[in-house]
Amino acid sequence: MSVVILDFGSQFTRLIARRFRELGAYSVILPGSAPLDRILRENPQGIVLSGGPSSVYDEAAPKPAPGVLDLDIPVLGVCYGMQYLAQQAGGDVKRAGKREYGKADLTQYGGQLFEGIQGEFVAWMSHSDSVTQLPEGYEVVAQTEDTPVTAIENRETRRYGVQFHPEVVHTPKGGQLLANFLGICGVTRDWTAEHIIDELIADVQAQVGDGRVLLAISGGVDSSTLGLLLAKAVGEKLTAVFIDHGLLRLGEREQVEAALKPLGVNLVTVDARAEFMAALDGVSDPEQKRKIIGREFIRAFEREARAYGPFDFLAQGTLYPDVIESAGGEGAANIKSHHNVGGLPDDLAFKLVEPFRTLFKDEVREIARLLGLPDHIRMRHPFPGPGLAIRCLGAISEEKLDILRRVDDIFISGLREFGLYDGCSQALAILTPIQSVGVMGDERTYSYTAALRAVTTDDFMTAEWARLPYEFLATMSNRIVNQVHEINRVVYDITGKPPATIEWE
Ligand SMILES: Nc1ncnc2c1ncn2[C@@H]1O[C@H](COP(=O)(O)OP(=O)(O)OP(=O)(O)O)[C@@H](O)[C@H]1O
Ligand SMILES: O=c1[nH]c(=O)c2[nH+]cn([C@@H]3O[C@H](COP(=O)(O)O)[C@@H](O)[C@H]3O)c2[nH]1
Ligand SMILES: NC(=O)CC[C@H](N)C(=O)O
Ligand SMILES: [Mg+2]
C-alpha cells in the first residue's frame, strides 16, 4: 500500500515523498505519464500530481495516463497538478495577471485539507498560471489576495488541489495539510527508517548478487553509514577505499583511519596526492577543477581495482542534493558538478551502487543512528569530496593549501572550543585570491584575505548563514591573523543559499 506521486518535472517532487516519509507513510515517485497498470502495481491508496514547469493549456503539456483519474481513490494536485485537475474536470486555466513567487498569506481557508489547522497560513508559491473558472462539483477552499482560487476540493470524487507547495519548509503548516491528505486516503502511518533500511539492503543484494563491491569511503557520514549498510548487505564482498588526494584538512587522514577502524570495514588507504596535484596544476575554473577531481577519483579506484580487485561495483554515498545540483533532475539546471555525480568520467567501468541517491542528509543521519554509527561521525559537518580544492579559489598550489589548512583548523577547533560546532550544520574556511594592504608591527603588509562561512540547514538544499557571536568571530580573526602570517584580513560570509551556495566553487 502506498501513495503514488506522479512527477511532472517540479524541483520539489522528492520533497513530497520526503514529507510523506516523515509522516510515516510510504510513497513511490513515478513519471507523470506512467501507465495505469504500472501505477496499480503499487497498490495506491492515493495519488499526488506534482507541480511542473509546463502550462496545462500547452499543446505538449504532460498528462497522467488514461484511466488514472478515473480511479476511485483520493487525488491531490499540487500547483501544475491542481491546474490539471481543474482543466480536466471542465474548468479553465489561464496565465494570471499577477504571478506569485515566494511567500503568500492565505486570506481565508477551510475544507478537508485544512482540517484542524488554525491561525495564519503562510503558503509558498511559484506559479504564473491560475485557475480562472472552477469546474463543476468543486468548491474554492482557500484564497490569497492575488489568487482567488488557491485551493479547491470536490468531496464527492475526493479530488483536491493546492496552488501553493505544501512540501517545502517555507510552507510551515504544509506538513499538517499533507497529513490530512494521508488521513483522507486512509494510509496507515507506520513506515519507519527501519523499513527503509530493510528495503535498501534488499535492493543492494538484488543489484549486486555475487559481485564484488569497492566502497568509496571518506570518513563522512554518508559513506560511513553506507559502509555499515553494505557490510550487512554484502559482507565479505566489500572493500572500502579511502583516497588521500592531498586536499584533506589538517590531520584528517589519520583521524579518518582511526575513526573507521573500529567499524570493522575492510579499509584500504590510497596515497594519490601526486596524481591529483599534477592533474590540477594551473587549473582555475571551478567546473573544470570539479571534473578533473571526479575523473582522478575514478582513476584512483581503477588502480586499486587492479591491485585488490576485480570489482564489478563502485559504491558511493551520493545523496539527492548532489544529484539535483548536478542537473540530475528532470529539467533541472546544472549548479555545480558534484565530483561523484556530474564530475564522473564518461568511460566509467564500474556499475554504481548508490542506495542513498534519493535521500537527504538528515535521513541518512537517522539511518546512521539505527545502524549504530558513533555520534562523532554521525554529526560531523559534511566535507565535500573535492575537499580544499574548491575552497582555495582559482588555481591551487601546495603553498595555498597549506595556508588554508591552518586557517580551517583554527576556525573548526575554535567552534568546538566555544561549544558552537553542533549549532552549525557546516562550517568552512575559504582562501580568496584577494590580496590587500594591512599594517602589522608598524610595517606594511600585502597579504591574502581568508573568508569564514558557517551555515544552518537540515537538508543542504537551502541554508541560512549562522549568526555566530561577534566575540567569537573577533577571537577567530585575531587568532588567524596572528598565527597564519600569510593572512592579514578575515571576512565572514553573510549570504544564504540561495542566492549563494555553501561552497564558494
Ligand atoms: N577522500 C575520499 N575517498 C574516497 N571516497 C570519497 C572521498 N571523498 C568523497 N568520497 C566519495 O564521494 C561521496 C560523496 O562525498 P560527500 O562528501 O558528499 O559524502 P561523505 O563524505 O560520505 O559525507 P559528508 O557529506 O558527511 O562529507 C562519498 O560518500 C564517498 O563515496
Ligand atoms: O561530496 C561532495 N562533492 C562535491 O563535489 C560537492 N560540492 C558540494 N558539496 C557539499 O554539498 C553541500 C551543498 O553544497 P553547495 O551549496 O556548495 O552546493 C555542502 O555540504 C557541500 O560541502 C559536495 N560534496
Ligand atoms: N510550480 C508549478 O507547478 C507551476 C505550474 C505552471 N507552470 C505555472 O506557472 O503556474
Ligand atoms: Mg565528505
Side-chain angles (χ1 to χ4, degrees), residues 51-54 79-80 83 126-129 165:
S54 310
C79 203
Y80 179 85
Q83 295 163 1
S126 177
H127 70 118
S128 45
D129 299 332
H165 289 271

PDB file of all heavy atoms in Angstrom, residues 51-54 79-80 83 126-129 165, ligand 3:
ATOM      1  N   GLY A  51       3.879  19.452  -9.115  1.00  0.00           N
ATOM      2  CA  GLY A  51       3.989  20.666  -9.909  1.00  0.00           C
ATOM      3  C   GLY A  51       4.834  20.399 -11.142  1.00  0.00           C
ATOM      4  O   GLY A  51       5.263  19.264 -11.382  1.00  0.00           O
ATOM      5  N   GLY A  52       5.076  21.439 -11.925  1.00  0.00           N
ATOM      6  CA  GLY A  52       5.901  21.274 -13.107  1.00  0.00           C
ATOM      7  C   GLY A  52       5.990  22.552 -13.895  1.00  0.00           C
ATOM      8  O   GLY A  52       5.170  23.455 -13.717  1.00  0.00           O
ATOM      9  N   PRO A  53       7.008  22.657 -14.755  1.00  0.00           N
ATOM     10  CA  PRO A  53       7.231  23.903 -15.492  1.00  0.00           C
ATOM     11  C   PRO A  53       6.241  24.162 -16.632  1.00  0.00           C
ATOM     12  O   PRO A  53       6.132  25.294 -17.092  1.00  0.00           O
ATOM     13  CB  PRO A  53       8.656  23.728 -16.047  1.00  0.00           C
ATOM     14  CG  PRO A  53       8.884  22.256 -16.092  1.00  0.00           C
ATOM     15  CD  PRO A  53       8.063  21.658 -14.990  1.00  0.00           C
ATOM     16  N   SER A  54       5.524  23.147 -17.087  1.00  0.00           N
ATOM     17  CA  SER A  54       4.629  23.358 -18.242  1.00  0.00           C
ATOM     18  C   SER A  54       3.357  24.095 -17.822  1.00  0.00           C
ATOM     19  O   SER A  54       3.074  24.247 -16.642  1.00  0.00           O
ATOM     20  CB  SER A  54       4.199  22.020 -18.845  1.00  0.00           C
ATOM     21  OG  SER A  54       5.300  21.208 -19.079  1.00  0.00           O
ATOM     22  N   CYS A  79      -0.048  22.635  -7.484  1.00  0.00           N
ATOM     23  CA  CYS A  79       0.362  23.622  -8.490  1.00  0.00           C
ATOM     24  C   CYS A  79      -0.039  23.156  -9.890  1.00  0.00           C
ATOM     25  O   CYS A  79      -1.226  23.095 -10.186  1.00  0.00           O
ATOM     26  CB  CYS A  79       1.858  23.894  -8.356  1.00  0.00           C
ATOM     27  SG  CYS A  79       2.341  25.481  -9.021  1.00  0.00           S
ATOM     28  N   TYR A  80       0.914  22.766 -10.731  1.00  0.00           N
ATOM     29  CA  TYR A  80       0.539  22.237 -12.051  1.00  0.00           C
ATOM     30  C   TYR A  80      -0.502  21.142 -11.906  1.00  0.00           C
ATOM     31  O   TYR A  80      -1.467  21.066 -12.691  1.00  0.00           O
ATOM     32  CB  TYR A  80       1.793  21.688 -12.752  1.00  0.00           C
ATOM     33  CG  TYR A  80       1.519  21.086 -14.110  1.00  0.00           C
ATOM     34  CD1 TYR A  80       1.470  21.890 -15.237  1.00  0.00           C
ATOM     35  CD2 TYR A  80       1.311  19.715 -14.255  1.00  0.00           C
ATOM     36  CE1 TYR A  80       1.204  21.339 -16.492  1.00  0.00           C
ATOM     37  CE2 TYR A  80       1.050  19.154 -15.493  1.00  0.00           C
ATOM     38  CZ  TYR A  80       0.996  19.972 -16.616  1.00  0.00           C
ATOM     39  OH  TYR A  80       0.745  19.432 -17.844  1.00  0.00           O
ATOM     40  N   GLN A  83      -3.861  22.593 -11.381  1.00  0.00           N
ATOM     41  CA  GLN A  83      -4.339  23.220 -12.624  1.00  0.00           C
ATOM     42  C   GLN A  83      -4.826  22.133 -13.588  1.00  0.00           C
ATOM     43  O   GLN A  83      -5.829  22.291 -14.271  1.00  0.00           O
ATOM     44  CB  GLN A  83      -3.214  24.056 -13.251  1.00  0.00           C
ATOM     45  CG  GLN A  83      -2.810  25.249 -12.376  1.00  0.00           C
ATOM     46  CD  GLN A  83      -1.458  25.852 -12.753  1.00  0.00           C
ATOM     47  OE1 GLN A  83      -0.806  25.398 -13.688  1.00  0.00           O
ATOM     48  NE2 GLN A  83      -1.027  26.865 -12.016  1.00  0.00           N
ATOM     49  N   SER A 126       4.838  29.395  -6.442  1.00  0.00           N
ATOM     50  CA  SER A 126       5.732  29.515  -7.590  1.00  0.00           C
ATOM     51  C   SER A 126       4.926  29.244  -8.848  1.00  0.00           C
ATOM     52  O   SER A 126       5.012  28.181  -9.433  1.00  0.00           O
ATOM     53  CB  SER A 126       6.881  28.513  -7.443  1.00  0.00           C
ATOM     54  OG  SER A 126       7.711  28.552  -8.554  1.00  0.00           O
ATOM     55  N   HIS A 127       4.115  30.211  -9.242  1.00  0.00           N
ATOM     56  CA  HIS A 127       3.269  29.976 -10.415  1.00  0.00           C
ATOM     57  C   HIS A 127       2.982  31.253 -11.181  1.00  0.00           C
ATOM     58  O   HIS A 127       3.014  32.346 -10.628  1.00  0.00           O
ATOM     59  CB  HIS A 127       1.935  29.327  -9.998  1.00  0.00           C
ATOM     60  CG  HIS A 127       1.023  30.239  -9.253  1.00  0.00           C
ATOM     61  ND1 HIS A 127      -0.213  30.597  -9.726  1.00  0.00           N
ATOM     62  CD2 HIS A 127       1.163  30.887  -8.073  1.00  0.00           C
ATOM     63  CE1 HIS A 127      -0.800  31.412  -8.849  1.00  0.00           C
ATOM     64  NE2 HIS A 127       0.012  31.596  -7.851  1.00  0.00           N
ATOM     65  N   SER A 128       2.704  31.076 -12.464  1.00  0.00           N
ATOM     66  CA  SER A 128       2.251  32.220 -13.242  1.00  0.00           C
ATOM     67  C   SER A 128       0.890  31.940 -13.879  1.00  0.00           C
ATOM     68  O   SER A 128       0.254  32.844 -14.403  1.00  0.00           O
ATOM     69  CB  SER A 128       3.285  32.595 -14.305  1.00  0.00           C
ATOM     70  OG  SER A 128       3.750  31.454 -14.957  1.00  0.00           O
ATOM     71  N   ASP A 129       0.437  30.676 -13.843  1.00  0.00           N
ATOM     72  CA  ASP A 129      -0.919  30.359 -14.315  1.00  0.00           C
ATOM     73  C   ASP A 129      -1.850  30.253 -13.105  1.00  0.00           C
ATOM     74  O   ASP A 129      -1.398  30.004 -11.991  1.00  0.00           O
ATOM     75  CB  ASP A 129      -0.937  28.995 -15.026  1.00  0.00           C
ATOM     76  CG  ASP A 129      -0.036  28.985 -16.248  1.00  0.00           C
ATOM     77  OD1 ASP A 129       0.149  30.062 -16.839  1.00  0.00           O
ATOM     78  OD2 ASP A 129       0.480  27.914 -16.583  1.00  0.00           O
ATOM     79  N   HIS A 165       2.875  25.212  -2.631  1.00  0.00           N
ATOM     80  CA  HIS A 165       3.648  23.983  -2.416  1.00  0.00           C
ATOM     81  C   HIS A 165       3.667  23.617  -0.929  1.00  0.00           C
ATOM     82  O   HIS A 165       4.452  24.174  -0.166  1.00  0.00           O
ATOM     83  CB  HIS A 165       5.078  24.170  -2.925  1.00  0.00           C
ATOM     84  CG  HIS A 165       5.153  24.229  -4.411  1.00  0.00           C
ATOM     85  ND1 HIS A 165       5.303  23.115  -5.190  1.00  0.00           N
ATOM     86  CD2 HIS A 165       5.052  25.273  -5.272  1.00  0.00           C
ATOM     87  CE1 HIS A 165       5.308  23.457  -6.466  1.00  0.00           C
ATOM     88  NE2 HIS A 165       5.154  24.764  -6.543  1.00  0.00           N
TER      89      HIS A 165
HETATM   90  N1  LIG B   3       5.187  25.242  -9.951  1.00  0.00           N
HETATM   91  C1  LIG B   3       4.268  24.845 -10.836  1.00  0.00           C
HETATM   92  O1  LIG B   3       3.787  23.728 -10.821  1.00  0.00           O
HETATM   93  C2  LIG B   3       3.966  25.832 -11.932  1.00  0.00           C
HETATM   94  C3  LIG B   3       2.800  25.429 -12.793  1.00  0.00           C
HETATM   95  C4  LIG B   3       2.674  26.321 -14.005  1.00  0.00           C
HETATM   96  N2  LIG B   3       3.807  26.149 -14.845  1.00  0.00           N
HETATM   97  C5  LIG B   3       2.529  27.785 -13.568  1.00  0.00           C
HETATM   98  O2  LIG B   3       3.391  28.577 -13.851  1.00  0.00           O
HETATM   99  O3  LIG B   3       1.550  28.140 -12.959  1.00  0.00           O
END
